[in-house]
Amino acid sequence: MKVSLVVSDLSEGGTLRAFLLAQVLKSLNHTVEIVGFIYGKEIITAPPSGMSIVSVPGKNYPGFLSSAKELLQKLDGDIIYVCKPKPRSFGIGLLKKISGNRPLFLDIDDWELSWHGGYEFKYRPSFKQLYRDIFKQNGALKFPDHPLYVQWMEKLVAMADVVTVDTQFLQQRFGGIYLPNGKDTELFNPDKYNTTASKERYGLSEYRVLMFPGAPRPHKGVEDVLIALDKLNEPDLKLVIVGSNPYDDYDKKLIEKWGHRILKLSKFPVETMPEVLAAADIVVVPQRKNYTTLAQFPLKLTDGMAMAKPILSTKVGDIPEILGDTGYLVEPDSPDEIAEQIKLIFDNLESAKEKARKARERCVEKYSVKAMKPILESVISRF
């Protein structure tokens, strides 16, 4: 079959799950095309090589209606598989389901309303504010994925023929089939890389490296690791952040306060990330506890697991279930515990490496592209 994967905005974060789904579908011998709006200048996350991307320039209302019509004309898959219950993806998918009689799959990998207060979100403007939101040039309701519209979309989830989710929290909220995030464990294979050589290549030879392979944001708990490093006060311990936060100046604030503890690496294509991760001594995933993190499956976990790196994370959401007994877990918002675990790992490196090898075995078995294949194959076989 041909599967059209619909992404709400190719020029912002959140495309990695779509790329992963595309990879699994291609491995099942389906033809896959990723289709989406692009609101920025370029696709923010480089897709894996050979992946077909079709983009349509995005507009806000009222221009969004013509953009949506153009995107609809490009959706010619036998199955429409939309990412996230947003108007720019799920809304488009619903229109295609009605007009084109195509099966509609919906993948939910985040709780979008968690960014806007979660259960407490309510849009109750004054008449004056409502007028501004509708008619002003940059009025809030001109944005197609305004949280009010997302709230409406969530009430229509049952209209999808299939719903896939990647966490227990999302399954409890929306139902659907559990489809965990998998890693390409052939690409992310530690046997193909050398830690010493990778450290040398990326200028990290002098340091013991705690790596955070992603964009730092407040809910991701990077500050807790930096406070822990302050407590340990060992100059060769560095937090290496790979990539940057495209949303605000949070990176700058971290550097201003902890520049002596942080080393920054630029963003890399997926194909290069295993070599970068090979330079890590520990992969840190220090999630804080809120609705956003409860709903998320941190991709950084499977990065570290697949590369057989000791993983230090927090008891938040599905993380304890994903890691099992193959990682090091602390309570959220606990820099003291993080400091203790960092010391424990470096004082018992052989034990930590053995635990990391078991983490890779667990990743291959439960959280790999190979593990995702039979789940998606079973779903698609119904259509």
Side-chain angles (χ1 to χ4, degrees), residues 139-299:
L141 291 179
K142 288 192 172 183
F143 177 58
D145 284 353
H146 185 280
L148 175 63
Y149 305 146
V150 173
Q151 192 176 53
W152 293 349
M153 288 287 102
E154 287 190 358
K155 294 176 181 178
L156 301 177
V157 165
M159 291 186 68
D161 296 290
V162 171
V163 176
T164 53
V165 296
D166 68 348
T167 66
Q168 295 175 45
F169 178 94
L170 292 171
Q171 192 172 42
Q172 289 166 6
R173 179 158 180 78
F174 297 107
I177 297 161
Y178 178 65
L179 182 66
N181 278 314
K183 191 62 59 182
D184 183 344
T185 50
E186 290 301 313
L187 175 65
F188 286 76
N189 184 345
D191 294 339
K192 298 179 180 179
Y193 305 93
N194 179 275
T195 295
T196 302
S198 283
K199 279 192 172 186
E200 187 174 335
R201 176 160 190 171
Y202 296 105
L204 304 172
S205 298
E206 303 171 35
Y207 308 112
R208 287 180 290 166
V209 173
L210 280 65
M211 187 172 286
F212 181 82
R217 300 185 75 182
H219 69 276
K220 295 184 179 181
V222 172
E223 290 177 54
D224 295 331
V225 176
L226 292 165
I227 294 168
L229 292 183
D230 281 344
K231 292 176 182 296
L232 292 168
N233 197 26
E234 297 178 29
D236 68 325
L237 279 174
K238 298 289 184 182
L239 177 64
V240 175
I241 297 174
V242 185
S244 58
N245 177 2
Y247 305 103
D248 51 41
D249 63 350
Y250 184 62
D251 291 22
K252 182 180 176 183
K253 291 176 181 176
L254 291 177
I255 296 291
E256 285 174 355
K257 188 169 182 178
W258 283 290
H260 60 302
R261 304 283 185 212
I262 297 172
L263 294 172
K264 286 271 289 174
L265 297 180
S266 61
K267 193 174 220 176
F268 293 92
V270 172
E271 289 86 351
T272 309
M273 278 305 296
E275 182 184 55
V276 177
L277 281 156
D281 294 298
I282 301 173
V283 170
V284 290
V285 189
Q287 302 280 81
R288 289 181 170 171
K289 189 173 183 178
N290 53 42
Y291 286 140
T292 299
T293 54
L294 286 171
Q296 287 182 336
F297 184 123
L299 289 165

Side-chain angles (χ1 to χ4, degrees), residues 257-364:
K257 188 169 182 178
W258 283 290
H260 60 302
R261 304 283 185 212
I262 297 172
L263 294 172
K264 286 271 289 174
L265 297 180
S266 61
K267 193 174 220 176
F268 293 92
V270 172
E271 289 86 351
T272 309
M273 278 305 296
E275 182 184 55
V276 177
L277 281 156
D281 294 298
I282 301 173
V283 170
V284 290
V285 189
Q287 302 280 81
R288 289 181 170 171
K289 189 173 183 178
N290 53 42
Y291 286 140
T292 299
T293 54
L294 286 171
Q296 287 182 336
F297 184 123
L299 289 165
K300 295 172 287 298
L301 277 181
T302 49
D303 284 350
M305 292 171 77
M307 289 300 292
K309 294 295 179 180
I311 297 170
L312 176 52
S313 191
T314 44
K315 298 173 185 175
V316 173
D318 284 8
I319 292 173
E321 171 63 27
I322 296 165
L323 275 178
D325 60 356
T326 69
Y328 297 82
L329 291 171
V330 302
E331 295 296 331
D333 303 288
S334 301
D336 287 338
E337 287 189 44
I338 292 174
E340 289 170 10
Q341 293 299 311
I342 291 170
K343 188 174 187 310
L344 176 69
I345 292 169
F346 283 115
D347 286 348
N348 301 273
L349 261 181
E350 285 310 309
S351 173
K353 288 178 181 177
E354 178 57 30
K355 191 172 274 200
R357 282 190 285 271
K358 290 180 180 177
R360 173 169 169 80
E361 291 172 4
R362 185 175 178 84
C363 186
V364 171

Side-chain angles (χ1 to χ4, degrees), residues 21-232:
L21 292 172
Q23 186 179 357
V24 178
L25 290 164
K26 286 180 76 173
S27 73
L28 291 168
N29 297 317
H30 298 295
T31 302
V32 184
E33 189 172 68
I34 294 179
V35 185
F37 298 104
I38 184 162
Y39 279 75
K41 294 181 180 178
E42 59 186 11
I43 297 173
I44 193 167
T45 303
S49 57
M51 194 165 287
S52 176
I53 306 284
V54 176
S55 64
V56 168
K59 299 174 185 176
N60 290 342
Y61 286 115
F64 176 69
L65 298 175
S66 61
S67 292
K69 183 179 179 181
E70 184 179 352
L71 191 76
L72 278 166
Q73 291 170 347
K74 295 181 182 294
L75 294 183
D76 59 356
D78 302 300
I79 292 173
I80 310 300
Y81 202 159
V82 302
C83 297
K84 302 181 183 294
K86 292 182 172 184
R88 291 184 304 194
S89 51
F90 187 38
I92 297 294
L94 285 169
L95 289 173
K96 193 67 178 181
K97 173 183 168 70
I98 294 166
S99 64
N101 195 28
R102 307 289 172 84
L104 177 62
F105 290 17
L106 167 63
D107 183 72
I108 308 177
D109 72 334
D110 229 334
W111 187 27
E112 301 305 319
L113 283 184
S114 70
W115 303 99
H116 308 282
Y119 296 106
E120 285 73 44
F121 171 75
K122 289 180 177 62
Y123 179 71
R124 290 177 176 170
S126 64
F127 180 80
K128 188 175 183 180
Q129 186 61 50
L130 179 63
Y131 177 87
R132 287 174 181 160
D133 287 348
I134 294 174
F135 295 107
K136 289 288 185 181
Q137 184 175 356
N138 294 314
L141 291 179
K142 288 192 172 183
F143 177 58
D145 284 353
H146 185 280
L148 175 63
Y149 305 146
V150 173
Q151 192 176 53
W152 293 349
M153 288 287 102
E154 287 190 358
K155 294 176 181 178
L156 301 177
V157 165
M159 291 186 68
D161 296 290
V162 171
V163 176
T164 53
V165 296
D166 68 348
T167 66
Q168 295 175 45
F169 178 94
L170 292 171
Q171 192 172 42
Q172 289 166 6
R173 179 158 180 78
F174 297 107
I177 297 161
Y178 178 65
L179 182 66
N181 278 314
K183 191 62 59 182
D184 183 344
T185 50
E186 290 301 313
L187 175 65
F188 286 76
N189 184 345
D191 294 339
K192 298 179 180 179
Y193 305 93
N194 179 275
T195 295
T196 302
S198 283
K199 279 192 172 186
E200 187 174 335
R201 176 160 190 171
Y202 296 105
L204 304 172
S205 298
E206 303 171 35
Y207 308 112
R208 287 180 290 166
V209 173
L210 280 65
M211 187 172 286
F212 181 82
R217 300 185 75 182
H219 69 276
K220 295 184 179 181
V222 172
E223 290 177 54
D224 295 331
V225 176
L226 292 165
I227 294 168
L229 292 183
D230 281 344
K231 292 176 182 296
L232 292 168

